[in-house]
Amino acid sequence: MSEKSRGYLYLSLAMVLVGSTVVASKVIASGLPPFAATALRFAIALPLFLFLVRLTATPWPRLTRRDWVIVLLQAGVGSVGYTTLLISGLKLTPAADAGVIIGTLPVVSAAIAIVVLGERPKRSVLLAVALAAAGVLAIVFRPDVGNRHSLAGSVLILGAVVCEGLFILLNKRLRSEIPPLALSCLMAGLGGAIAAPVALAELPWTETMNARAVAAVVYYALVPTVGGFVLWYAGLAKVSGAEASVFTALAPVSAVLLAVAVLREPLTLNQLLGIGCVLAAVTCLGAASRTRSALRRQAKAL
C-alpha cells in the first residue's frame, strides 16, 4: 500500500469514528446528564493526551494573555458547548437526523467566516451553503414527524454544529502557533474544568444514570476523541489539506449507517435526501478548496 493510500485509509477511519460519536451520544443521552458526561469524557481523555505529548516530545506553547482568553473561549464553546448540546439534542431526535445535521459543519464554518470575519463569499461557497440548508430542512420539516420535540432536538444539534464552527473561527484568531496535540490537551483540561461544576450540580438530581451510558462515555473518550485524533493527523501527514477535507463527508454517512445498524433506527427518504444534499455541499467546498490550491501552485511556478 502506498503512503497516500495509507493516508486515505487513516482519514477514512478517523471520520467513521467521528460519525460513531453520534451513536455514542444517543446512548449517553439515555443515561447521563450532558455536563456530567462531558466532564467524564475529558477526565478520561486528558491523561492519554498528556501521555502522547510526552511520548512525541510535543512542545508546550507559550501563550499571550489574549491567546489564553481565546483558548478558554474555545474550550467553553467548542468542547463543552458542542458536547452538551449534542447530547441534549439527541434526547429529542433520532441519531440518523443528528448525523445529517452534523455533516453540515464544513459549510457552517464557511458561513460563520463570511458573517463574522466579513470574508467575501465565492459562488461555490454560496452553493454549498444552500445545499446544506436544504439538507437540514429536509430533516427538520417533514410530514412524518410533526411534533415540536424533534424540531427542538434538531435546533440543539444545529447549535452544537455552530459551536464547533465558532471553535474553528476562534482558532484562526490565535496569534501563537499551538501544535494540534497540545491544543487537544488544553481543550480536554479546560473543557473538563468548565463542565465539572455544573456536572456536580447535575448528578444529585439524575435518576437515569446507567452502566451502558458510562460505557458509551468511555468509548467516546478513548476511541473517537483520542483514537480519531491520532488517525486524522497520521492521515493528514500523508496527503494535502484539500484532499483531507473531502473525507469529512464520511462522518455524516457513518453516523446515519451506524444509527441504522446499531440503534435499529429506520432510514427514511427525507434522511437520504438530507444526506445527499449535505454530501453535495461538502463535495462542492472540497472542489473549491482543491481549485484554490492548484491556482496557488501555478502562481508559485510562474
Side-chain angles (χ1 to χ4, degrees):
M1 183 182 292
S2 67
E3 285 293 297
K4 181 160 283 194
S5 297
R6 193 175 290 113
Y8 291 160
L9 176 62
Y10 293 157
L11 294 171
S12 299
L13 289 173
M15 286 298 101
V16 169
L17 293 181
V18 169
S20 75
T21 63
V22 176
V23 174
S25 296
K26 182 70 173 178
V27 176
I28 293 166
S30 67
L32 271 175
F35 283 92
T38 301
L40 180 59
R41 172 199 170 197
F42 291 133
I44 295 168
L46 179 59
L48 291 172
F49 278 130
L50 289 171
F51 172 75
L52 290 174
V53 165
R54 187 177 181 84
L55 183 68
T56 58
T58 299
W60 198 254
R62 294 183 178 180
L63 304 181
T64 63
R65 184 178 299 177
R66 175 185 178 274
D67 281 347
W68 273 115
V69 171
I70 291 175
V71 166
L72 188 61
L73 287 172
Q74 282 185 290
V77 173
S79 296
V80 178
Y82 172 82
T83 309
T84 54
L85 285 171
L86 177 61
I87 293 171
S88 300
L90 279 163
K91 287 184 178 181
L92 306 170
T93 201
D97 285 7
V100 176
I101 296 170
I102 285 173
T104 64
L105 174 60
V107 184
V108 169
S109 300
I112 290 174
I114 292 169
V115 173
V116 178
L117 297 182
E119 292 184 3
R120 188 175 179 181
K122 294 181 172 58
R123 200 173 295 175
S124 57
V125 175
L126 292 176
L127 176 59
V129 170
L131 285 167
V136 173
L137 290 175
I139 292 298
V140 174
F141 298 107
R142 63 186 206 247
D144 59 317
V145 180
N147 64 64
R148 61 181 179 179
H149 296 294
S150 179
L151 176 59
S154 296
V155 170
L156 286 169
I157 292 162
L158 187 58
V161 174
V162 171
C163 282
E164 192 68 9
L166 289 172
F167 173 91
I168 295 169
L169 173 66
L170 287 167
N171 205 53
K172 293 180 180 180
R173 312 305 290 176
L174 287 167
R175 292 175 182 169
S176 306
E177 190 71 29
I178 305 179
L181 192 51
L183 183 60
S184 292
C185 277
L186 286 170
M187 292 302 102
L190 293 173
I194 292 168
V198 185
L200 292 173
E202 278 180 335
L203 286 174
W205 301 101
T206 183
E207 299 177 356
T208 57
M209 185 184 300
N210 59 54
R212 189 164 173 259
V214 173
V217 174
V218 174
Y219 167 83
Y220 196 153
L222 296 179
V223 184
T225 302
V226 179
F229 170 90
V230 172
L231 284 168
W232 179 258
Y233 282 99
L236 200 58
K238 301 178 186 302
V239 304
S240 69
E243 287 177 305
S245 67
V246 176
F247 285 85
T248 60
L250 290 176
V253 176
S254 167
V256 172
L257 293 180
L258 287 171
V260 173
V262 177
L263 301 177
R264 305 298 185 203
E265 291 186 359
L267 186 61
T268 68
L269 180 61
N270 290 75
Q271 288 167 340
L272 289 173
L273 178 61
I275 202 169
C277 290
V278 169
L279 289 177
V282 175
T283 303
C284 189
L285 276 186
S289 177
R290 289 195 299 275
T291 301
R292 287 195 297 272
S293 297
L295 290 174
R296 280 197 294 268
R297 287 196 297 270
Q298 288 177 358
K300 288 179 180 179
L302 294 175

